[in-house]
Amino acid sequence: MNLTLSDEQRALQETAADFLAEQGNARKDVQDDAGLWAHIVELGWAAVQVPEELDGLGLGAVELGLLMEEMGRRLVRTPFFSTVVLAQTALLQAGSAHAQQRCLPALAFGAQAATLILGPGLDADPATLTVHARRDGEGWHLHGEAAQVLDDGQIDVAYVAARLEGDAAIGLFEVQAGATGVERTPLEVWDLTRPQARWCFDEVRVDAEARVDDADKVCAGLVRTRVLAALQLAAEQVGGAAQCLQLAVDYTKERVQFGRPVATFQAVKHRVAEMMVRMETARSTVRGVMARVAAAAESDAAALDDAALFAEVSAARVLATEAYRYCAQEAIQLHGGVGFTWEYDPQLHFKRAQWASQWLGASSAWRETLAAQLLDVA
Amino acid sequence: MNEQEFRKEVAAWMATHLVGRFACLKHRGGPGDEEAYPALRKEWEQEMASGGWVGLGWPKEHGGRDLPLALQLAFHEEYVRAGGPGRMGHIGETLTAPTLIALGTPEQQRRFLPGIREGREYWAQGYSEPGAGSDLAAISTRCWQDEDGRWRLQGQKVWTSLAHESDWIFVIARSTPGSVGREGLSFLLVPLDQPGIEIHPIRQLTGEAEFNSVFFDGAVTEADCIVGQPGEGWKVAMALLGFERGVSTLGQQMHFSHELQLLLEVARANGAAQDPAIRQRIADAWIGLQGLRYNGLRMLEDDTGSTKVRPEALIYKYAWSNWHRDLGQLAMDVIGVAGDVRSDEDAVRRLQQVFFFSRSDTIYAGTNEIQLNIISERGLGMPRG
């Protein structure tokens, strides 16, 4: 397997890095968020993983991951993660062909920003779903509450996994954010770059067309969605960790104590070196698994079954989670007093790192499922 | 050449050659187990040579096969997968030979390369000294030329792996009297079997003796057994370390994978696999090994023409040695009280070796602390003290 990036991939990465260094909005007014999202859509980034036959760019996990890494570095606040990484992936993995054709072009070209509602923390286990669907003639009634939904206020549509009443099965439903009976309450979150809201569904009526899943693959498809989304989140975590390392290196080279830059002290050098070891190991793994997933998508010979995909992604995900938390924590420590202030960036990463460590499965859960694969063979 | 076919070729050769009298060598030898069958493992080296498996990366004009890195790695992986024993000839093959190919004279190449390639001559490395460990440039072993031009050596080298099984040693020694640090050193090739050299085994904490002290008391070598010019020894010594681009180090991941499989077997058999805390650590061990594996694959990325620092190469030694040390601790926690007793069970014996021997992994070839200095200075541009 070749991990070397192509010239096109390198160019995409450089463009994203330059653009986001200038346009990153973590510290800007939320009023301007819509402008950044529109700009990102204009650049075609939301179309990266949409197949060419649906007018997308038809690229793969590697390209999307490069974008995610750069967005993680700048803590970009847009509906990109919820629209592209969550909703698009759910449609691609669990959606019917008809729904893919109907919904994906709008998500690719920004007519719509979307989010995905599964169980708490984006759990794909049907037992954890908190929204129920009841058949009503040709259509459906949705009822229930999702306590925490990724929603930055720009969301137009949610794809909601709901348990079907009187049936063990689940369905995936398209619900307009403004539909009658939908109530969204923004939550006061610590990580302001990743806004959330509570969504209540009070007998929300949707028509038959709103059921977008392919019933034969919805369960497995949503599990796969979660795994693939976790891989993209891992890329974002690597970008954040890399930025924490950069901030720590830059600051300690500048900060003078005892008549010399604190970067000259071995106690400081060893800490940044340890950050680099963890971040680069996570980056190697995330990039490697992305290449593996992309190869699997291109050739049957390289296909990954669900267990193998899970195992590959678990490595990327756990290494990235732990690296980001470690690097964010170290960045605060290495900034000394100012690291504890609102004005300096380490706190932003510290909060994002904590957020990212819990959604799409905490490390302990990934490890336990992996351990079961490794140890509990029949 | 197609990698899959090449892998099959290696596997097929191993399946038909690592049998009969060589069968007992499967998964034996290597760091932590060097005392296993040294004589037979030398015969195995000759068997490998006859199969054309030595010098895979050397240029063809020196008897190598000039294979690209990816195929060299494929060979190492298949070799270990088949249980290929720890290599007795790796210092000669991966350190001496590339150095001579790059910096040696044609006479030196003709004299030494065939012996290495054919598994007839074995090499040891004479760098560290009692007073020159992390501070390698603090070398005090002296060398000088007699009137007939022959080189003489006086001093002591230490931590010399397998010196007692070797025929030659390459040595850096101080040729300019009164010089300090990296100046005034020379790089010499010295035969070990002579009256001026004594080799004393160092008993390590495992009870075994894989390293030695080598004492030079007027030891002698021929005038043409110097690589580079007198005084250029540091340059040659550092170039030598650079030739090891980690291909065989990458192959060691298959050893690690084998060790992890043994650990899983033991955990399943003795019930440790039911302990939730152990399960978390086992998953982490597997994840960490994936990290090493992908880091290794990234090292094989093509960066022709680039002079950028390769972060994945810079962090690799620190990453693998600490992972391996943790694996040893995890293994002993899985084994439990039975770990107190030297085991004859293959899996447990091997894991006990990992636990004890891996304490050296984070010390030799640059301690953790030196590695972190190098990473921070070269990788992050942190200023030197």
Side-chain angles (χ1 to χ4, degrees), chain B residues 274-353:
Chain B
Q274 305 304 315
D275 177 336
I278 291 284
R279 292 167 73 83
Q280 290 278 310
R281 289 170 64 196
I282 284 176
D284 257 338
W286 189 90
I287 287 166
L289 185 56
Q290 285 293 100
L292 295 177
R293 176 168 169 72
Y294 279 116
N295 204 65
L297 286 168
R298 191 171 155 204
M299 282 160 73
L300 299 181
E301 265 183 65
D302 186 11
D303 70 339
T304 314
S306 166
T307 53
K308 276 195 196 150
V309 176
R310 299 287 297 252
E312 69 279 10
L314 210 48
I315 66 172
Y316 191 66
K317 199 273 168 169
Y318 183 81
W320 77 251
S321 59
N322 286 282
W323 177 88
H324 200 220
R325 205 169 69 172
D326 289 348
L327 184 78
Q329 183 63 68
L330 173 59
M332 290 301 266
D333 292 347
V334 163
I335 295 166
V337 288
D340 295 350
V341 182
R342 280 182 185 260
S343 179
D344 338 321
E345 214 184 303
D346 274 352
V348 175
R349 177 186 47 75
R350 178 76 201 165
L351 292 172
Q352 288 176 323
Q353 284 171 338

Side-chain angles (χ1 to χ4, degrees), chain A residues 269-270 274 280 284 312 376, chain B residues 279 294-295 318 373 377:
Chain A
K269 290 162 79 170
H270 284 191
E274 183 72 45
E280 292 290 354
S284 298
E312 291 279 339
D376 305 341
Chain B
R279 292 167 73 83
Y294 279 116
N295 204 65
Y318 183 81
N373 284 350
E377 287 165 14

Side-chain angles (χ1 to χ4, degrees), chain A residues 1-5 10 245 249 252-253 260 263-264 266 268-270 272-274 276-277 280-281 283-285 288-289 292 311-312 314-315 318-319 363-365 367-368 370-372 374-377, chain B residues 3 264 267-268 273-274 276 279-284 286-288 290-292 294-295 297-298 300-302 311-312 314-315 318-319 368-373 375-377 379-385:
Chain A
M1 188 172 52
N2 192 351
L3 300 194
T4 311
L5 295 179
R10 252 178 233 289
L245 174 57
V249 167
T252 57
K253 283 180 183 170
R260 53 184 174 135
T264 58
Q266 207 170 36
V268 170
K269 290 162 79 170
H270 284 191
V272 293
E274 183 72 45
M276 178 169 160
V277 171
E280 292 290 354
T281 300
R283 175 178 273 161
S284 298
T285 310
V289 176
R292 183 75 189 81
E312 291 279 339
S314 69
V318 173
L319 289 169
S363 292
S364 55
R367 289 194 197 102
E368 173 49 38
L370 179 62
L374 295 169
L375 291 165
D376 305 341
V377 281
Chain B
E3 183 177 323
L264 295 178
R268 280 190 214 114
Q274 305 304 315
R279 292 167 73 83
Q280 290 278 310
R281 289 170 64 196
I282 284 176
D284 257 338
W286 189 90
I287 287 166
Q290 285 293 100
L292 295 177
Y294 279 116
N295 204 65
L297 286 168
R298 191 171 155 204
L300 299 181
E301 265 183 65
D302 186 11
E312 69 279 10
L314 210 48
I315 66 172
Y318 183 81
N368 268 356
E369 291 67 31
I370 292 291
Q371 293 295 332
L372 291 174
N373 284 350
I375 291 166
S376 69
E377 287 165 14
L380 298 168
M382 298 290 273
R384 294 177 74 99

Side-chain angles (χ1 to χ4, degrees), chain B residues 84-161:
Chain B
R87 298 286 306 277
M88 295 290 283
H90 69 281
I91 294 178
E93 186 191 6
T94 64
L95 298 178
T96 312
T99 305
L100 293 180
I101 288 168
L103 301 169
T105 63
E107 290 72 28
Q108 287 168 344
Q109 293 166 353
R110 274 196 293 277
R111 163 69 187 82
F112 293 112
L113 294 179
I116 294 171
R117 198 186 57 240
E118 292 159 20
R120 288 185 284 104
E121 283 182 342
Y122 293 87
W123 284 79
Q125 175 174 16
Y127 276 19
S128 298
E129 298 182 2
S134 290
D135 184 8
L136 183 58
I139 281 163
S140 62
T141 294
R142 291 181 299 119
C143 64
W144 65 93
Q145 278 181 295
D146 281 345
E147 281 175 9
D148 61 4
R150 293 197 304 173
W151 289 93
R152 295 265 180 190
L153 295 99
Q154 189 75 30
Q156 180 189 351
K157 293 290 175 182
V158 75
W159 312 124
T160 323
S161 306

Side-chain angles (χ1 to χ4, degrees), chain A residues 226-304:
Chain A
R226 184 169 177 274
V227 174
L228 293 169
L231 178 57
Q232 294 301 332
L233 180 54
E236 188 181 77
Q237 290 171 304
V238 166
Q243 182 65 8
C244 289
L245 174 57
Q246 188 67 54
L247 291 171
V249 167
D250 291 347
Y251 182 79
T252 57
K253 283 180 183 170
E254 236 167 58
R255 171 72 176 166
V256 173
Q257 288 288 275
F258 304 103
R260 53 184 174 135
V262 297
T264 58
F265 293 104
Q266 207 170 36
V268 170
K269 290 162 79 170
H270 284 191
R271 292 184 89 128
V272 293
E274 183 72 45
M275 290 165 78
M276 178 169 160
V277 171
R278 297 186 190 207
M279 184 276 287
E280 292 290 354
T281 300
R283 175 178 273 161
S284 298
T285 310
V286 169
R287 294 240 178 117
V289 176
M290 299 257 176
R292 183 75 189 81
V293 167
E298 275 165 25
S299 144
D300 287 345
L304 285 165

Side-chain angles (χ1 to χ4, degrees), chain A residues 307-322:
Chain A
L309 175 70
F310 180 90
E312 291 279 339
V313 172
S314 69
R317 166 68 175 160
V318 173
L319 289 169
T321 295
E322 300 308 319

